[in-house]
Amino acid sequence: ISGCLGLIAVIIRRVKSLLGYDLRGPMRKKAALRILSAMSHMAKCDGIVDSIELKHIRKTIRRLTGRNYPTSEVIHMVDSIDMSGGLDEHHFIAFGKGLRDREKDLMMQGILSVAIASGRLIPVEHAFATELAYGLGIPGEDFRRLLELVLATEDVA
């Protein structure tokens, strides 16, 4: 009986992890890749993505999602982004499609962290962040709360 109960507990924990309900485990792969993509877009906004920014992206994505991505994968994702055509509202809505509210908050934390990593928020980065917040359906007070949270986290780091 105890063996069956133990097996049931393991199965329940595994199902919770796969569905994204286990906060201790890594985030769903789909959600983590979307967050990494949004962070890469933010890094590409100013046109220059240096090694310090890549390292910051890797550290932040690991902290937020619990998943570790090699530098080569981050570089490949950043290189595949073409910002010359610009993004419209459909692109910003697509970033959040199928994500839970918690995952959308983590996406905003990730892009804001990348934006302020240089010590300043340039207008292009601010425009990207506000358009993404609008596309994700994040109200202004939540946006400000997330920005304050990121600023507090970055001061400690």
Side-chain angles (χ1 to χ4, degrees), residues 123-141:
V124 177
E125 292 171 335
H126 182 268
F128 181 87
T130 54
E131 289 292 323
L132 182 61
Y134 179 74
L136 296 176
I138 295 176
E141 62 268 5

Side-chain angles (χ1 to χ4, degrees), residues 27-90:
M27 184 180 284
R28 297 180 304 151
K29 190 173 188 175
K30 170 184 145 184
L33 282 172
R34 290 256 185 94
I35 292 171
L36 179 60
S37 175
M39 291 171 66
S40 299
H41 275 82
M42 177 58 87
K44 194 82 174 212
C45 276
D46 62 359
I48 303 167
V49 182
D50 58 4
S51 62
I52 296 170
E53 245 179 329
L54 291 171
K55 184 179 176 184
H56 181 75
I57 290 171
R58 284 194 65 227
K59 182 181 82 168
T60 305
I61 195 76
R62 187 179 328 117
R63 179 176 49 85
L64 293 176
T65 67
R67 293 194 175 270
N68 193 16
Y69 291 96
T71 305
S72 60
E73 190 169 341
V74 176
I75 291 171
H76 177 70
M77 185 169 285
V78 169
D79 285 343
S80 67
I81 296 171
D82 180 23
M83 295 293 282
S84 63
L87 300 174
D88 62 6
E89 66 182 66
H90 300 294

Side-chain angles (χ1 to χ4, degrees), residues 90-107:
H90 300 294
H91 290 102
F92 291 109
I93 292 170
F95 275 119
K97 192 168 186 161
L99 296 183
R100 297 180 179 98
D101 287 341
R102 177 180 172 273
E103 294 164 343
K104 291 177 182 179
D105 283 353
L106 292 175
M107 179 182 285

